[in-house]
Amino acid sequence: MTTRYICVMQMRTALLLSSVMSLVPVWGAAHPHVFVDTELTVYVDAAGQMEGIEVAWTYDDFYSLLILADLKLDNDGDGRLDPSELQRLDGFDLQWVEGYQGDSYVTRNGKPASLGAPETRGVSVDRGVITSRHFRALSGPADGVEIKAFDPTFYTAYSLTGTVTVRGPCTATQTPADLDAAYTLVEELLYATPAADLEEGYPEVGEAFADTVSLSCTS
């Protein structure tokens, strides 16, 4: 057994201990568990109509390591995958259950807009870190569209990285989340929620930690 996979077993043990500890009232430290750097590329046609959004997810080192171990990939532990391994990995995070929104939420002028089913755009592994890409179709005017990336339960923390790219005659403005207000909300909800209810589910606070991407288009 390589040092890499001894490390995996140790991390899994740590996860088990963390799960046991989560049964006591230390909920503020229990979330999030997975950290994902997110990049967005927005596609708009020449008439200012939405075509869709490409989402890139770069998973944290720990989660990437667990995924590679669970799928029995990168057995030599060099942090790289050969083409056949990449093919097996591609789409690993796109097997969504019914009702799951893909942790990408879009509104247009304040009203929800429906994204299409995810279409894989490939996966890569760099020094053991997984980045996957998928595309989701979206129709209608781009002007007035707002995009947020978040997990309502805050089990996964999404951070928008870099500049949002717009392919088309529109611009994107990114408004950071008010983190002070978000953490205050968490504290208030945890304080006000009975421990028995917390065991059933963490308060849905993820949106409070999400940046907002707003599109505006020239006529």
Side-chain angles (χ1 to χ4, degrees), residues 33-133:
H33 289 70
V34 181
F35 298 85
V36 181
D37 287 342
T38 305
E39 295 183 12
L40 301 176
T41 303
V42 180
Y43 290 86
V44 183
D45 69 17
Q49 297 293 303
M50 288 292 307
E51 295 179 338
I53 302 169
E54 183 178 287
V55 181
W57 287 335
T58 299
Y59 294 93
D60 64 75
D61 300 55
F62 179 41
Y63 189 74
S64 294
L65 184 62
L66 291 179
I67 292 297
L68 295 176
D70 286 343
L71 296 179
K72 296 180 173 58
L73 299 173
D74 189 26
N75 291 322
D76 58 6
D78 67 354
R80 299 191 300 269
L81 301 187
D82 63 34
S84 65
E85 289 177 312
L86 286 173
Q87 186 174 12
R88 287 174 54 198
L89 183 63
D90 192 13
F92 81 95
D93 53 359
L94 299 183
Q95 309 303 311
W96 297 352
V97 298
E98 185 177 356
Y100 176 59
Q101 300 297 311
D103 291 344
S104 294
Y105 296 86
V106 175
T107 60
R108 179 182 291 109
N109 298 321
K111 297 180 180 180
S114 298
L115 290 163
E119 306 168 22
T120 181
R121 289 286 175 91
V123 64
S124 62
V125 176
D126 181 21
R127 291 177 288 184
V129 173
I130 300 172
T131 297
S132 69
R133 296 178 181 275

